[in-house]
Amino acid sequence: MSQIFGKIKSLTIFIYTIGILSVSAQKQITYYISPTGNDTNPGTIELPFETIEKAKNTIAKHNGKNAKNITVFLRGGLYPVKETIVFNNENSGNKNTTITYSAYKNENPILSGGIVLNKWKNTKDGLWQMHIPNINFRQLYVNGKRAVRARTPNIGSYHTNLLWDVKAQEILIDSRLIKPWNNFKNVEMVINMNWAEAFMRLDSYTESNDEAYTWHTPTHARVKVQNPERNLVFKRFYPPKKNELAWYFENAYEFIDEPGEWYYDQATEMLYYHPLANEKIENAKAVIPRLETLILIKGNANVPITNLHFEGITFKHSTWLKPSKSGALNMQACNYSIEPTLGNVQFVERIPAAVKLEYAQFCSFENNIFSQLGASAIDLFDGTKNCLLNYNVFNDISANAIQLARFSDPKTEIHIPYNPKDISAVTEHHMISNNKISDIGKDYTGAVGIACGYGRNITIDHNEIFDLPYSGISVGWGWTSEKNIMENNRITGNLIYNVCQTMSDGGAIYTLSAQPGTIIKNNYIHDVKHADWAGKSHNTGIYLDEGSKGILIENNVIENVADGVPFILKGESVFKNNQGIPNTQVKQEAGILK
């Protein structure tokens, strides 16, 4: 990666030193946990605990009574997480004490929110099946690989013959593409709406040949989706309901037609899987997720969590079940619509994450792996300050890899600037550095590698981000040039490539709204894609969207943008000394280019 960064002239490496609270040198207290341990043990290396819960509760008994640093070593192996592990103020470090949960030496501890399956049976048609009672799930991993929830057309392909009848609240498609499938109302219609996807459960359909639409197909079906999805999608203006968007059906037994696909019949509680050619039933290991959040670190405005650190741990197997229960309409960056308000007035909620921090300061995650997760990976939410995400690996993630800062409160309309009176709630002074992010947005294709809302003094530095369906880094929210809490963010020295592979109207780096003092500098961007069926909006290298102003864009290199438009600016910002393309190749939309 250093050779690639060398293409940037006069690259300046921005060195960030996180201000861990002053901790005096003390003899360290050490505990050990192991999958083969026992919570009645004393927690020594010879007699380790079995669970993190036992370790953190043991620490809580004497925490604050002395000023010694504490390390909990996790031995290698699988740690099933049956309930969210909650760290509160009793489990926090303080100005005199750090608490670290770390992998032991070169071992690989795995925190899994999943259930292991191993009781497959063969069916007469070559599928494997298994009875799984009292659980629903949206992901299946077989022999360490994500399987495909059965869909038509198959993964990598889409239909595009689609029309919207807004007045009737119906979607028109070719009648040959829909049938009265078993468990019809569990089937989902998934539409890629330029920069965001909509998961909508089917309700009914009727065949029709009314003259208004016969130009499109000889006979068509009028499809109704269930509520609340129907009211949401037809009443909101954005993302726009353009005709001929890419779409597919998902979640029916009848869709299983190639190896690697699966379907779970909720009525019979039976899982079906089409094995790959080299898979044998006697040694197939499968996992389904059962938890939305594995780790919750939650302080409060008066007493935030402090000096809590995680190193060398693998986080796996989270989920998100809302799409199965009430649909999910992504509005942008995995913030989904929650109220059917007519027009461009919208209210949203954020997708959950496997690890969430709220009112936490001087905490860190270093050298961890986040993989096979069914929503977002990690969320630095309200009241998080001075935290470090460094040298982590993110891959095989259903939604965003990293999300941080508030976007919109569920009770606040998305265009209203965020200017909280209580500054303790602001997300600020985080360092997101040296992380490797790839293969995210596996289910929710409007996902972003690093999605930052109303944050200030956030540094996103020297990350490698690649193979994404939509944008690489997105900073900002609100679509407004009005004053808000954002300022002095830095997007520097990142390597971003092979992005925007599925969606449109995105960029390797994307911003929204006024954020004075923000710098986009020394980034190398190449191979920004535009799929044939992704919509007609531009994908670009650096995209300063609505309200973006007060930003310096300097010394970036952008190469091989599919649309031939390396920059889009919609606001007042400063642009200078960018390389790889002439400065005149900038699409200026209602902005001032200096």
Side-chain angles (χ1 to χ4, degrees), residues 68-131:
K68 296 180 179 179
N69 298 332
I70 301 169
T71 298
V72 178
F73 285 112
L74 283 71
R75 302 302 301 267
L78 184 68
Y79 295 82
V81 182
K82 298 179 180 179
E83 296 182 357
T84 300
I85 301 171
V86 179
F87 290 84
N88 55 32
N89 296 114
E90 292 182 347
N91 318 121
S92 172
N94 53 53
K95 65 181 180 179
N96 297 314
T97 303
T98 64
I99 300 176
T100 302
Y101 290 80
S102 175
Y104 179 73
K105 293 186 177 179
N106 296 320
E107 297 182 4
N108 181 27
I110 301 170
L111 301 188
S112 169
I115 300 173
V116 178
L117 311 174
N118 53 19
K119 296 182 179 180
W120 294 105
K121 295 180 180 180
N122 275 312
T123 66
K124 60 183 180 180
D125 54 4
L127 302 182
W128 297 351
Q129 68 178 29
M130 185 186 305
H131 183 246

Side-chain angles (χ1 to χ4, degrees), residues 49 51 98 139 171 272 297 305 311 313 322 327 370 426 449 475 477 491 531 556:
F49 298 137
T51 66
T98 64
Q139 292 82 32
I171 303 169
Y272 298 92
I297 299 169
I305 300 289
E311 300 175 0
I313 300 170
K322 182 189 181 302
F370 296 82
V426 175
V475 176
W477 194 250
I491 306 171
N556 302 282

Side-chain angles (χ1 to χ4, degrees), residues 465-470 496-501 526-529 560:
I465 304 172
F466 60 100
D467 293 349
L468 270 59
Y470 185 49
I496 308 172
Y497 58 98
N498 291 341
V499 295
C500 299
Q501 294 181 326
H526 67 88
D527 292 288
V528 179
K529 308 294 185 178
N560 196 21

Side-chain angles (χ1 to χ4, degrees), residues 184-367:
F184 184 83
K185 291 193 175 183
N186 287 332
V187 177
E188 297 168 5
M189 187 175 191
V190 185
I191 304 177
N192 286 356
M193 304 182 70
N194 289 282
W195 63 85
E197 73 292 332
F199 281 78
M200 299 180 290
R201 300 162 300 153
L202 297 184
D203 182 72
S204 62
Y205 74 96
T206 57
E207 293 193 17
S208 175
N209 60 357
D210 50 295
E211 293 182 0
Y213 296 98
T214 53
W215 60 267
H216 187 70
T217 181
T219 60
H220 56 268
R222 290 182 162 270
V223 180
K224 280 189 179 294
V225 297
Q226 297 180 43
N227 271 324
E229 304 97 289
R230 184 166 69 244
N231 276 337
L232 285 167
V233 77
F234 281 99
K235 290 186 176 181
R236 70 178 188 176
F237 284 0
Y238 294 97
K241 290 177 288 294
K242 295 182 179 180
N243 294 331
E244 301 184 353
L245 293 171
W247 64 276
Y248 60 94
F249 288 124
E250 181 174 291
N251 196 40
Y253 178 89
E254 293 87 341
F255 301 161
I256 303 177
D257 62 356
E258 69 176 14
E261 288 192 317
W262 66 274
Y263 168 70
Y264 179 62
D265 188 328
Q266 294 184 54
T268 64
E269 298 181 327
M270 193 67 70
L271 169 64
Y272 298 92
Y273 173 66
H274 191 322
L276 300 174
N278 60 346
E279 289 178 326
K280 297 181 179 180
I281 195 169
E282 57 268 20
N283 57 15
K285 179 182 177 182
V287 179
I288 56 174
R290 60 182 164 186
L291 288 181
E292 286 192 349
T293 301
L294 308 185
I295 298 284
L296 174 61
I297 299 169
K298 187 172 183 178
N300 58 63
N302 295 323
V303 187
I305 300 289
T306 301
N307 271 331
L308 190 60
H309 311 287
F310 294 82
E311 300 175 0
I313 300 170
T314 296
F315 300 90
K316 282 190 171 184
H317 308 137
S318 66
T319 192
W320 184 46
L321 295 178
K322 182 189 181 302
S324 299
K325 298 175 181 177
S326 56
L329 277 67
N330 183 3
M331 200 287 297
Q332 187 161 317
C334 289
N335 290 268
Y336 57 90
S337 300
I338 59 173
E339 290 189 21
T341 306
L342 184 62
N344 196 26
V345 175
Q346 292 198 51
F347 297 83
V348 297
E349 178 62 278
R350 72 206 283 133
I351 199 168
V355 175
K356 182 177 181 180
L357 289 77
E358 188 169 357
Y359 288 100
Q361 301 181 8
F362 301 102
C363 295
S364 68
F365 284 76
E366 293 192 87
N367 296 297

Side-chain angles (χ1 to χ4, degrees), residues 409-452:
D409 185 286
K411 298 180 180 179
T412 304
E413 204 279 324
I414 62 172
H415 298 90
I416 296 176
Y418 181 53
N419 287 297
K421 294 180 180 179
D422 182 4
I423 301 302
S424 67
V426 175
T427 300
E428 59 185 346
H429 295 291
H430 291 319
M431 181 67 174
I432 315 296
S433 58
N434 301 302
N435 300 287
K436 187 174 183 178
I437 299 171
S438 66
D439 209 26
I440 63 101
K442 298 292 289 185
D443 290 322
Y444 311 109
T445 48
V448 177
I450 301 174
C452 179

